[in-house]
Amino acid sequence: MAVIDINSEQELDQAIEAAGWLAGENTLVIIDYSTTWCGPCKVIAPKYDEMSDKYKDAIFLKCVGDTSPEATKLMKREGIRSVPAFHFWKKGAKIEVIAGANVEALENTIKENL
């Protein structure tokens, strides 16, 4: 499954709501918050893409915060203070947060919540 770009608060809210309707209430939604200038973000991005192919029961989203004012606003709303950051959602609620480019923690959290 491809990683879906999210560029605004409205897009994120719609994606989380749609996850319940399209894929079932217990669907795991993961969003990767990053920026274009972040080295660790660039390192983990291909791994995140691979996980989206490997874990097809989850929905993978990505927000690049410095690409638009709306994306920056979303990152502020979600309390992103450092990148990369990964937020995990289920049933419309945030259930987990991982800060940093920790591939092992990211994959373990996906496995635990599928």
Side-chain angles (χ1 to χ4, degrees), residues 5-9 11 62-64 67-72 74:
D5 288 325
I6 298 293
N7 297 303
S8 70
E9 295 174 4
E11 286 181 12
K62 181 178 193 100
C63 175
V64 182
T67 57
S68 73
E70 293 82 14
T72 301
L74 169 60

Side-chain angles (χ1 to χ4, degrees), residues 4-99:
I4 301 165
D5 288 325
I6 298 293
N7 297 303
S8 70
E9 295 174 4
Q10 182 181 10
E11 286 181 12
L12 176 62
D13 295 343
Q14 288 174 343
I16 290 168
E17 185 179 333
W21 291 102
L22 298 175
E25 235 179 71
N26 286 321
T27 302
L28 178 64
V29 178
I30 308 130
I31 182 163
D32 170 14
Y33 294 99
S34 64
T35 59
T36 57
W37 51 263
C38 167
C41 298
K42 292 175 186 175
V43 170
I44 201 165
K47 300 288 185 193
Y48 187 70
D49 289 342
E50 287 173 18
M51 288 181 208
S52 75
D53 290 331
K54 185 175 180 180
Y55 300 104
K56 296 189 183 297
D57 290 339
I59 296 173
F60 288 77
L61 310 174
K62 181 178 193 100
C63 175
V64 182
D66 58 346
T67 57
S68 73
E70 293 82 14
T72 301
K73 186 176 175 186
L74 169 60
M75 288 178 69
K76 285 182 183 176
R77 182 188 88 175
E78 294 300 316
I80 306 302
R81 297 184 182 274
S82 63
V83 288
F86 300 88
H87 288 186
F88 297 77
W89 296 78
K90 226 175 196 182
K91 296 182 180 179
K94 194 181 309 172
I95 58 167
E96 189 77 46
V97 173
I98 294 177

